């Protein structure tokens, strides 16, 4: 048992001072006591928050950041970006993915995330044939997460069609092909590796209504329930206007209506993006208890649109945040753009705040913590007994944090400039980032550089 002392900590019941946090040998918090004496406890750097969960990530896309910003001969769109992304990933093997993921996961820790939901669809070799061990790529991601020490919810994706109406996969998409039989074999294989590891969780992800035929989606969801694979289920939905139109044309239903015909939604579901859901769909989504996974910087980068957060919150909807294509890796950046998108479209301020919770940054931060714990299916996001000891500790002397109390701290983290060194970060009771550095940083970054030089040569 180890004991830590925080001058200020964000607890489920609110901000508390002089907090003693006891961590057990399995990496769980066993006791939390405000108003304690520092005694022999290890002093944390002042302000302590629960680590954030990143609910939507495609790790390999980190290596593409900055390389898809050039105008080609056609109009630049989400769809032309996707072609660039496909061309880039055609060269990636498992070692490349492991090196890229390790660099990314380390950056995510520094950005305030202590757990990630990896939406994994790069299953096979470049020509589309499965690796000898079909779990090769999944295990590369798992190993990168282990090297870095970030919590991982791995969500292997079903992927069967190139578009609505059973369109065939194009050449680049053959690497992604996974049907329900293959999915459940992969999950069984991975379960043997993940089972006893409290930093791991499995779920699955029908990639999108475009990529999974209705019968397969239905079957996979029922089969998961039958096998008691009660993990989270994630799906991309309504990110682009074009896919909403195609869904309507092909099925006669809007995307969320269509999904609700195929599966019963609940708190284990994470609807990723949901950008172009209409008012009625927002209401139904909120009522279902599902979490919407918002990825504001990626959604901006790809020209997706702005999720109607204000209306969704009015309906009592749950949300979490994701780094998705990893053009940004910080919690603050993601929440700031989320709120600024609302301000820019609605022409008012503090859109995320409410009368009951008037601090805008604080409300967004707390909701994202709670939404992420559901969407990742792990006991994270709270400094409380039984939850993982995933902690982010910040220096009170940081210019943007100095003399702030309580919820002003979260407001400053979202809306004030980020200053000096990144926080100290503990995952499952183990320090992973100290004074802004990871113990394996030199090795991880050198492997990343070598990988990128080779890929771009
Ligand atoms: C993905 N990413 O699976 O990586 C997708 C693009 C698609 C985002 N939607 C591919 N942001 O949706 O078909
Ligand atoms: Zn995605």
């Amino acid at each position: 048992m180890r004991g830590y002392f925080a001058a200020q900590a964000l607890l489920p019941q609110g901000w508390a001072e002089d907090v003693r946090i006891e961590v057990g040998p399995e990496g769980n918090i066993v006791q939390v006591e405000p108003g304690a004496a520092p005694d022999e406890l290890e002093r944390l750097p002042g302000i302590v928050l629960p680590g954030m969960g990143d609910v939507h990530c495609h790790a390999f896309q980190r290596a593409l950041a900055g390389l898809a910003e050039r105008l080609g001969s056609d109009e630049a769109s989400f769809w032309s970006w996707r072609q660039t992304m496909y061309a880039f990933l055609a060269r990636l093997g498992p070692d490349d993915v492991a090196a890229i993921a390790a660099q990314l996961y380390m950056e995510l820790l520094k950005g305030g995330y202590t757990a990630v939901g990896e939406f994994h669809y790069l299953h096979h070799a470049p020509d589309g044939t499965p690796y000898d061990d079909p779990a090769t790529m999944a295990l590369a991601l798992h190993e990168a997460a282990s090297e870095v020490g970030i919590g991982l919810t791995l969500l292997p994706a079903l992927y069967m069609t190139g578009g609505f109406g059973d369109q065939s996969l194009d050449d680049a998409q053959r690497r992604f092909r996974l049907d329900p039989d293959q999915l459940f074999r992969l999950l069984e294989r991975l379960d043997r590796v993940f089972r006893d590891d409290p930093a791991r969780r499995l779920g699955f992800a029908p990639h999108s209504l475009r990529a999974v035929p209705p019968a397969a989606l239905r079957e996979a969801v029922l089969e998961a329930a039958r096998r008691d694979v009660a993990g989270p289920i994630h799906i991309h939905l309504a990110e682009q206007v074009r896919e909403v139109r195609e869904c309507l044309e092909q099925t006669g239903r809007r995307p969320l209506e269509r999904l609700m015909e195929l599966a019963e939604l609940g708190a284990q579901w994470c609807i990723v993006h949901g950008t172009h859901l209409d008012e009625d769909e927002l209401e139904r989504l909120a009522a279902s208890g599902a979490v919407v996974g918002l990825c504001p910087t990626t959604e901006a980068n790809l020209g997706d649109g702005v999720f109607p957060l204000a209306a969704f919150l009015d309906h009592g909807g749950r949300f979490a945040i994701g780094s998705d294509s990893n053009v940004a890796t910080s919690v603050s950046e993601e929440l700031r753009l989320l709120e600024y998108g609302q301000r820019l479209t609605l022409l008012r301020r503090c859109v995320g705040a409410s009368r009951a919770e008037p601090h805008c940054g604080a409300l967004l931060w707390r909701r994202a913590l709670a939404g992420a714990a559901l969407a990742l299916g792990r006991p994270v996001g709270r400094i409380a007994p039984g939850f993982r000891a995933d902690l982010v500790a910040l220096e009170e002397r940081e210019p943007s944090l100095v003399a702030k109390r309580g919820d002003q701290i979260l407001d400053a983290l979202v809306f004030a400039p980020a200053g000096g060194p990144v926080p100290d970060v503990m995952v499952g009771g183990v320090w992973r980032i100290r004074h802004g550095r990871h113990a394996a940083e030199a090795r991880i970054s050198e492997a990343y550089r070598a990988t990128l030089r080779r890929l771009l040569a």
Side-chain angles (χ1 to χ4, degrees):
M1 192 93 81
R2 277 149 301 149
Y4 301 91
F5 181 84
Q8 294 193 73
L10 178 62
L11 305 184
Q13 63 271 28
W15 284 92
E17 297 193 354
D18 299 338
V19 183
R20 177 193 183 102
I21 302 168
E22 298 276 359
V23 178
E26 307 285 304
N28 280 348
I29 296 169
V30 292
Q31 210 200 331
V32 180
E33 184 195 347
D39 295 338
E40 74 302 350
L41 303 173
E42 178 178 340
R43 249 176 198 280
L44 300 172
I47 299 170
V48 178
L49 310 171
M52 183 64 76
D54 172 353
V55 301
H56 190 66
C57 174
H58 309 289
F60 73 84
Q61 290 176 17
R62 168 66 182 86
L64 186 65
L67 293 176
E69 306 299 332
R70 182 174 182 274
L71 184 63
S73 46
D74 297 332
E75 193 180 312
S77 68
F78 172 90
W79 307 101
S80 67
W81 167 83
R82 193 172 79 154
Q83 288 311 120
T84 308
M85 187 265 281
Y86 287 176
F88 181 77
L89 68 78
R91 277 162 282 169
L92 296 181
D95 294 345
D96 304 316
V97 167
I100 296 166
Q103 173 68 25
L104 170 72
Y105 292 162
M106 182 174 73
E107 291 168 348
L108 292 176
L109 287 183
K110 294 185 183 187
Y113 296 107
T114 47
V116 62
E118 182 68 36
F119 192 117
H120 165 54
Y121 63 91
L122 188 58
H123 301 300
H124 311 305
D127 66 358
T129 49
Y131 292 104
D132 290 342
D133 179 354
T136 296
M137 276 294 194
L139 292 172
L141 293 161
H142 160 68
E143 275 148 28
S146 298
E147 180 177 24
V148 170
I150 199 167
L152 174 69
T153 297
L154 187 65
L155 305 149
L158 288 169
Y159 205 113
M160 297 164 71
T161 55
F164 285 102
D166 280 337
Q167 285 173 48
S168 52
L169 298 174
D170 67 27
D171 284 350
Q173 293 169 329
R174 286 186 303 160
R175 294 191 80 175
F176 315 155
R177 192 178 189 289
L178 203 73
D179 63 27
D181 283 347
Q182 293 169 300
L183 169 73
F184 287 105
R185 264 182 275 134
L186 178 61
L187 289 174
E188 271 172 31
R189 165 92 174 80
L190 292 171
D191 181 57
R192 291 198 286 277
V193 182
F194 283 25
R195 191 178 301 159
D196 299 318
D197 186 344
R200 292 292 176 273
R201 183 77 204 250
L202 285 171
F204 75 98
H207 179 278
S208 53
L209 294 175
R210 290 179 265 121
V212 183
L217 196 152
R218 244 199 210 112
E219 178 196 331
V221 171
L222 291 177
E223 181 65 15
R226 210 174 57 74
R227 292 181 183 221
D228 205 21
V229 186
I233 309 174
H234 292 214
I235 186 169
H236 292 118
L237 201 82
E239 179 181 14
Q240 281 282 316
V241 173
R242 184 177 114 184
E243 66 182 329
V244 175
R245 191 181 62 233
E246 288 173 354
C247 183
L248 254 173
E249 284 165 6
Q250 293 287 329
T251 71
R253 301 275 183 274
R254 294 184 52 86
L256 190 82
E257 284 186 288
R258 178 61 175 156
L259 179 60
M260 288 179 123
E261 285 179 346
L262 302 175
E264 194 183 327
L265 300 191
Q268 82 279 29
W269 279 82
C270 180
I271 305 302
V272 181
H273 306 305
T275 318
H276 297 289
L277 298 178
D278 71 12
E279 191 52 47
D280 179 56
E281 289 173 297
L282 289 175
E283 192 173 344
R284 293 178 67 184
L285 178 56
S288 77
V291 176
V292 64
L294 303 173
C295 312
T297 52
T298 295
E299 289 154 10
N301 183 277
L302 298 180
D304 290 341
V306 177
F307 178 80
L309 181 72
F312 187 60
L313 290 178
D314 283 346
H315 292 303
R318 290 171 165 153
F319 78 88
I321 52 171
S323 62
D324 193 352
S325 65
N326 303 301
V327 287
T329 53
S330 117
V331 176
S332 298
E333 250 184 274
E334 226 53 77
L335 291 176
R336 184 185 312 132
L337 188 56
L338 176 61
E339 169 66 20
Y340 282 174
Q342 305 301 304
R343 294 186 189 188
L344 288 165
T345 46
L346 299 173
L347 311 184
R348 53 189 176 91
R349 301 189 66 251
C350 302
V351 176
S354 69
R355 292 276 166 252
E357 291 171 86
H359 287 269
C360 185
L363 183 146
L364 295 174
W365 203 288
R366 284 195 174 90
R367 298 293 174 87
L369 283 170
L374 283 173
L376 297 177
R378 299 186 52 236
V380 294
R382 291 163 88 89
I383 300 177
F387 285 76
R388 298 298 292 162
D390 292 0
L391 306 175
V392 173
L394 306 156
E395 291 280 0
E396 287 169 302
R397 53 197 297 284
E398 271 301 296
S400 287
L401 298 180
V402 71
K404 306 286 195 306
R405 312 302 293 171
D407 282 351
Q408 289 174 338
I409 293 168
L410 296 172
D411 287 351
L413 282 174
V414 178
F415 299 110
V422 287
D424 285 10
V425 182
M426 173 189 286
V427 188
V430 179
W431 285 115
R432 297 297 183 178
I433 303 291
R434 279 306 334 240
H435 312 300
R437 293 201 51 94
H438 191 282
E441 180 145 357
R443 185 182 70 228
I444 289 169
S445 291
E446 201 38 59
Y448 179 78
R449 286 186 201 104
T451 298
L452 232 70
R453 286 193 190 107
R454 208 177 44 66
L455 289 172
L456 301 184

